Amino acid sequence: MPSHADERQLLDELRELLAATVEDLTVEEVEPDSSLKDDLGVDSLAFLELVAAIEDRWQIQVPEEEAAQLTTVRQIAAHLAAAAPAPAGEAP
């Protein structure tokens, strides 16, 4: 199980990725329990772009049926923690 610090870092990285991927979305708008569709306005095309960005960033594959179950930021973080327990860090 990831530590609180690891979970916070993962959530922060996800917030930044969402803001960079979804048009008209800022990091400040993204909360851990935000619904991608209802709270953040992520449509199906933006969701596909987000999944592609997640796969690229964490070097994992997210099967379509699993991706469909990820509806909140926290669910994505939990999926990443399970699929990529030690996310590759990027050079500063």
Side-chain angles (χ1 to χ4, degrees), residues 43-92:
D43 62 18
S44 57
L45 179 58
F47 185 72
L48 291 175
E49 292 172 356
L50 176 62
V51 170
I54 288 169
E55 290 177 334
D56 185 53
R57 166 64 182 88
W58 280 278
Q59 298 296 302
I60 62 171
Q61 288 294 111
V62 181
E64 205 174 310
E65 51 282 351
E66 288 180 25
Q69 302 301 314
L70 304 175
T71 60
T72 69
V73 177
R74 192 178 305 277
Q75 286 175 336
I76 295 172
H79 179 81
L80 286 172
E90 293 183 6

Side-chain angles (χ1 to χ4, degrees), residues 3 11 15 20 23 29 40-41 45 65 71-72 77 89:
S3 73
L11 285 168
R15 292 173 70 209
E23 192 173 327
E29 293 175 280
L40 304 178
L45 179 58
E65 51 282 351
T71 60
T72 69

